[in-house]
């Protein structure tokens, strides 16, 4: 178990280095590009297999206990250690990351995004995987920061070099290059500047905790439960760390980098950005802020909840505006704004500081990764077939009804949409419901009237979410009323798409029908976390 976790974290880095080396003659296949893409599938598949074996070997009777731990001295003068471990909170995120990265590598093998060398693409994808896996596995604050930052450069290049920015390019200036290139580079710069500035502030908060307590060990700090810091120190630490995490989440109004980044990113970049990278911010709130600085979190919880529900309403209204006929809304941009709303429910559950709310937030994290990952895969397929993700074009007067032209693709899009709006029986339902239940009766000391107001606003957000997603399904899948279906029919779902999307569909149904699969892991760990390390 200990070796497996270390292999899961380090393996993609070794694979990234190997991807840059010349392929052996017997493995080149039709071309060196095909060989390196196959290498990416092999490495990410091995990491996924190791993650599944790790999950099968996980002691489900004690999910609150750190398992598969490694603890080695690294920088003795700063008391920084290479400390790895997983519990019921981090294990689902670890497996989700390994799964989505493998599916992206598999999809790219058959549908490589246009851009520079496949070698660089595969290497960046593997470095990105290593950074995200390390974020969920490390138990040292400084290692967490390094892993948190490790993903920025790969994602920047995936957007800037392999992205396609039809929605962003309309507002981008064209100096010495194509409008598309200018748009995706502007989106990439916006992504990295926002996240780097937030990370600098977060680092100050992490250093403050380490200096005041004498340790960066997250397990020891969670067990201490803030007793080694005064309330004022905790407030400053939560403010600094919270800003950095809120940018990555993203929390309104620090979200503006997200729509441009999603619109410009290639399909697999959007899948990983929504499915994995956004979870790093909310995971930081649960793993660091809640247990290590509970008094500071208690002070900021009402404000966090207020920003969360503002994001729910804002994201939903933005999606409704994009879905309206004649607004030239980009479907990728719409799904990006929907993530602002969905992650608002996650933040609301965390702000309640209750086991029910935090469990809901963790469940919603996983559900969002599965469903939104599937949505971005589907929109990428639509863009490949139509040449655009513009909603007015997809549902224009030509009668481009997806049900009539590619019924399986239309059915999958409708499935993902109703899962995203929270249909009972699918994964999207439980997380948002539990988050609101937690906020309905928040932790002691938090204003219940205020949180009841937040719950009421969030409930309105669920109605708005259903409204814009149903509008999207009606427009894209049914086309313009009265228009005749256009011939010839589109290419429907292909074999490699079935292989890439089926696991997400199956897990969305499984988590919706059997939520205990996740809640049985997270609930004991959350209770221990909120109780100051006591089971």
């Amino acid at each position: 178990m200990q070796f497996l976790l270390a292999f899961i974290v380090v393996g993609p880095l070794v694979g990234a280095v190997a991807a840059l080396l010349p392929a052996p003659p017997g493995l080149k296949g039709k071309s060196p590009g095909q060989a390196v893409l196959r290498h990416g599938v092999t490495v990410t598949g091995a990491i996924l297999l190791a993650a599944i074996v790790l999950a099968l070997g996980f002691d489900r009777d004690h999910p609150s206990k750190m398992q598969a731990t490694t603890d080695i001295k690294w920088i003795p003068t700063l008391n920084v250690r290479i400390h790895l471990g997983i519990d019921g909170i981090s294990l689902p995120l670890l497996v989700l990351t390994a799964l989505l990265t493998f599916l992206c590598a598999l999809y790219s093998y058959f549908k490589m995004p246009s851009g520079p060398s496949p070698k660089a693409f595969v290497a960046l994808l593997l470095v990105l995987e290593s950074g995200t896996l390390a974020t969920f596995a490390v138990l040292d604050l400084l290692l967490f920061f390094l892993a948190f930052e490790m993903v920025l450069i790969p994602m920047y290049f995936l957007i800037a070099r392999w992205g396609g920015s039809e929605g962003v390019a309309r507002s981008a200036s064209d100096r010495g290059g194509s409008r598309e290139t200018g748009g995706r580079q502007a989106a990439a710069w916006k992504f990295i500047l926002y996240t780097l500035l937030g990370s600098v502030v977060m680092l100050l908060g992490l250093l403050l905790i380490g200096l005041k307590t004498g340790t960066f060990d997250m397990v020891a700090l969670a067990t201490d439960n803030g007793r080694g810091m005064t309330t004022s120190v905790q407030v400053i630490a939560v403010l600094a760390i919270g800003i950095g995490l809120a940018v990555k989440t993203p929390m309104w109004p620090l979200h503006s980098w997200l729509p441009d980044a999603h619109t410009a990113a290639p399909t697999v970049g959007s899948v990983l950005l929504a499915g994995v990278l956004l979870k790093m911010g909310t995971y930081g709130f649960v793993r660091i802020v809640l247990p290590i600085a509970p008094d500071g979190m208690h002070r900021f919880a009402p404000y966090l909840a207020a920003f969360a529900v503002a994001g729910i309403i804002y994201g939903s209204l933005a999606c409704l505006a994009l879905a309206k006929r004649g607004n030239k809304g980009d479907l990728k941009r719409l799904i990006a704004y929907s993530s602002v709303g969905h992650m608002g429910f996650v933040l609301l559950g965390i702000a309640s500081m209750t086991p029910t709310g935090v469990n809901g937030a963790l469940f919603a994290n996983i559900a969002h990764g599965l469903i939104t990952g599937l949505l971005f895969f589907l929109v990428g397929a639509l863009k490949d077939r139509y040449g655009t993700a513009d909603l007015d074009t997809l549902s224009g007067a030509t009668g481009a009804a997806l049900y009539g032209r590619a019924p399986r693709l239309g059915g999958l899009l409708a499935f993902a949409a109703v899962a995203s709006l929270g249909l009972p029986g699918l994964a999207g339902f439980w997380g948002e419901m539990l988050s609101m239940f937690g906020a309905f009766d928040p932790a002691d000391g938090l204003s219940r009237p205020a949180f009841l107001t937040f719950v009421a606003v969030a409930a309105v957000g669920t109605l708005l979410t259903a409204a814009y997603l149903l509008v999207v399904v009606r427009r894209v899948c049914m086309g313009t009323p009265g228009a005749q279906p256009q011939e010839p029919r589109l290419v429907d779902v292909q074999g490699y798409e079935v292989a890439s999307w089926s696991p997400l569909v199956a897990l969305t149904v499984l988590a919706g029908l059997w939520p205990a699969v996740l809640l049985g892991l997270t609930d004991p760990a959350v209770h221990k976390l909120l109780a100051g390390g006591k089971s």
Side-chain angles (χ1 to χ4, degrees):
M1 292 281 284
Q2 183 182 25
F3 169 78
L4 272 177
L5 184 58
F7 169 73
I8 288 169
V9 173
V10 178
L13 281 180
V14 178
V17 174
L20 299 175
L21 301 175
L27 298 178
K28 282 186 178 181
K30 295 180 181 178
S31 68
Q34 186 188 49
V36 76
L37 291 171
R38 189 189 305 115
H39 169 79
V41 175
T42 303
V43 174
T44 55
I47 298 301
L48 174 60
L49 181 62
I52 292 172
V53 173
L54 185 69
L56 292 175
F58 186 80
D59 185 359
R60 293 183 63 91
D61 293 329
H62 300 92
S64 61
K65 177 185 176 183
M66 283 294 171
Q67 302 180 34
T69 55
T70 298
D71 193 0
I72 304 170
K73 288 183 179 180
W74 187 36
I75 308 176
T77 54
L78 295 178
N79 197 23
V80 177
R81 309 177 70 85
I82 299 177
H83 193 182
L84 306 177
I86 54 167
D87 63 358
I89 293 172
S90 53
L91 178 62
L93 290 166
L94 199 79
V95 176
L96 175 68
T97 300
L99 172 65
L100 285 177
T101 311
F102 169 70
L103 296 180
C104 286
L106 180 63
Y107 187 84
S108 299
Y109 179 77
F110 295 96
K111 196 70 178 179
M112 171 70 190
S114 59
S117 164
K119 283 190 173 186
F121 175 82
V122 171
L124 290 170
L125 195 68
L126 292 174
V127 172
L128 183 67
E129 180 182 31
S130 181
T132 50
L133 289 169
T135 301
F136 301 133
V138 298
L139 297 173
D140 183 276
L141 289 180
L142 289 187
L143 277 183
F144 175 86
F145 175 78
L146 293 177
F148 198 83
E149 296 304 288
M150 184 176 168
V151 304
L152 299 185
I153 300 302
M155 183 54 72
Y156 167 82
F157 282 109
L158 287 176
I159 296 172
R161 296 300 180 90
W162 284 271
S165 56
E166 182 178 336
V168 182
R170 279 195 290 268
S171 61
S173 60
D174 182 15
R175 295 187 204 126
S178 70
R179 299 176 68 194
E180 182 172 329
T181 301
R184 70 191 185 202
Q185 289 182 349
W189 273 110
K190 194 172 184 180
F191 160 75
I192 201 165
L193 287 176
Y194 264 75
T195 49
L196 277 177
L197 288 173
S199 298
V200 168
V201 180
M202 183 177 74
L203 178 60
L204 296 177
L206 297 175
L207 291 174
L208 177 64
I209 291 175
L211 292 173
K212 290 296 182 180
T213 60
T215 182
F216 291 100
D217 187 88
M218 292 159 68
V219 176
L221 289 167
T223 303
D224 188 61
N225 205 219
R227 288 182 286 271
M229 295 180 287
T230 64
T231 300
S232 59
V233 170
Q234 289 190 40
V235 168
I236 296 171
V238 169
L239 179 61
I241 297 170
I243 289 174
L245 297 175
V247 171
K248 187 64 72 73
T249 297
M251 181 185 77
W252 180 89
L254 303 174
H255 69 284
S256 62
W257 61 269
L258 183 71
D260 285 354
H262 268 308
T263 308
T267 296
V268 294
S270 292
V271 170
L272 292 175
L273 183 57
V276 178
L277 266 67
L278 302 190
K279 313 303 175 284
M280 294 164 64
T282 51
Y283 174 78
F285 275 108
V286 174
R287 178 65 74 194
I288 298 174
V289 178
L290 272 176
I292 295 177
D295 294 338
M297 179 63 186
H298 198 277
R299 297 287 183 90
F300 280 106
Y303 304 102
L304 180 63
F307 283 121
V309 296
I312 293 170
I313 299 298
Y314 173 84
S316 300
L317 292 176
C319 289
L320 276 172
L322 289 169
K324 188 177 179 182
R325 185 178 300 171
N327 281 1
K328 295 293 182 182
D330 186 279
L331 190 51
K332 286 187 74 174
R333 197 173 188 85
L334 184 147
I335 297 172
Y337 273 111
S338 77
S339 293
V340 176
H342 288 304
M343 298 312 288
F345 284 100
V346 176
L347 291 173
L348 178 62
I350 294 170
S352 73
M353 298 185 70
T354 62
T356 301
V358 176
N359 274 302
L362 293 171
F363 197 102
N365 254 348
I366 301 298
H368 180 265
L370 295 172
I371 297 167
T372 308
L374 177 60
L375 277 169
F376 276 117
F377 269 134
L378 292 168
V379 176
L382 280 175
K383 196 169 183 179
D384 289 337
R385 287 159 171 79
Y386 283 98
T388 181
D390 179 74
L391 272 168
D392 287 340
T393 302
L394 297 178
S395 60
T398 55
L402 200 56
Y403 285 155
R405 303 190 66 194
R408 293 182 182 85
L409 188 58
L412 279 171
L413 181 63
F415 168 83
V418 297
S420 184
L421 64 82
L423 184 73
L426 297 176
F429 172 73
W430 296 105
E432 295 181 2
M433 184 196 71
L434 290 172
S435 294
M436 289 194 288
F437 271 13
F440 184 80
D441 188 15
D444 294 338
L446 295 177
S447 171
R448 194 176 185 210
F451 272 82
L452 287 176
T453 303
F454 299 146
V455 171
V457 175
V460 174
T462 62
L463 299 177
L464 295 174
T465 300
Y468 71 74
L469 285 169
L470 291 176
V471 168
V472 167
V473 171
R474 179 180 61 79
R475 295 192 66 198
V476 176
C477 295
M478 300 178 185
T480 304
Q484 295 299 316
Q486 192 180 62
E487 295 294 341
R489 293 177 62 164
L490 292 173
V491 176
D492 212 335
V493 179
Q494 300 180 77
Y496 71 92
E497 293 172 329
V498 172
S500 302
W501 304 343
S502 294
L504 301 180
V505 174
L507 289 173
T508 298
V509 175
L510 177 63
L513 295 178
W514 192 20
V517 171
L518 283 177
L519 295 176
L521 288 172
T522 61
D523 189 51
V526 166
H527 275 87
K528 181 177 180 180
L529 205 69
L530 294 177
K534 299 174 183 177
S535 299

